[in-house]
Amino acid sequence: MLYGLSLMFAPALGKISFIDLTKVYAIYYVIFGMFVFNIRSYFRRREFSPEIEKAFEVIREARKSGNMGELEAKIEYRKLIHKVLEEVTIKVPPTPEPRRRKPIASKSQSGS
């Protein structure tokens, strides 16, 4: 959309000497749009509960101090993820009972 607008207003924007929009490819507009639409979710990220954050910090510190190897840290992260996922409950709405269809009355053809 930005690319289309820049093409539409190219004559007016061409008078601006410090910006040359002819050098901006359409992919840059796409990248800019992705950035703009995702910036709000970046700043509104949810924090984990303090217990989970503390567990992450313990693993980071142990890894940084050399008390835990890379493989051990990965295993601990996976254990933590598994534990968190076990505590998550997903509310699934009840499915309605399927309704029985009325039997289709077949027309008997009287024939020879």
Side-chain angles (χ1 to χ4, degrees):
M1 200 161 115
L2 286 173
Y3 184 67
L5 288 173
S6 70
L7 290 177
M8 221 166 66
F9 293 107
L13 294 172
K15 295 177 184 176
I16 301 172
S17 62
F18 62 93
I19 298 175
D20 186 12
L21 291 176
T22 61
K23 303 287 184 197
V24 180
Y25 298 108
I27 191 68
Y28 296 131
Y29 289 106
V30 172
I31 293 170
F32 178 74
M34 289 170 53
F35 173 76
V36 168
F37 280 110
N38 288 308
I39 192 107
R40 190 177 86 188
S41 63
Y42 177 76
F43 287 114
R44 294 182 64 193
R45 276 193 285 184
R46 293 187 201 175
E47 294 290 323
F48 292 114
S49 68
E51 296 87 20
I52 297 170
E53 288 291 337
K54 185 171 181 162
F56 277 131
E57 188 60 33
V58 168
I59 295 170
R60 278 188 222 114
E61 287 297 319
R63 179 76 179 105
K64 196 182 292 185
S65 67
N67 293 333
M68 184 182 291
E70 184 179 343
L71 181 60
E72 293 169 322
K74 285 183 180 181
I75 291 170
E76 290 302 316
Y77 280 127
R78 287 179 192 239
K79 285 181 186 177
L80 180 60
I81 291 168
H82 190 275
K83 182 179 176 186
V84 170
L85 288 176
E86 283 179 346
E87 294 176 6
V88 172
T89 57
I90 299 174
K91 294 181 181 178
V92 178
T95 56
E97 291 286 326
R99 288 188 271 172
R100 292 183 175 224
R101 294 184 181 185
K102 292 181 182 179
I104 299 174
S106 63
K107 293 181 182 179
S108 61
Q109 294 181 352
S110 59
S112 46

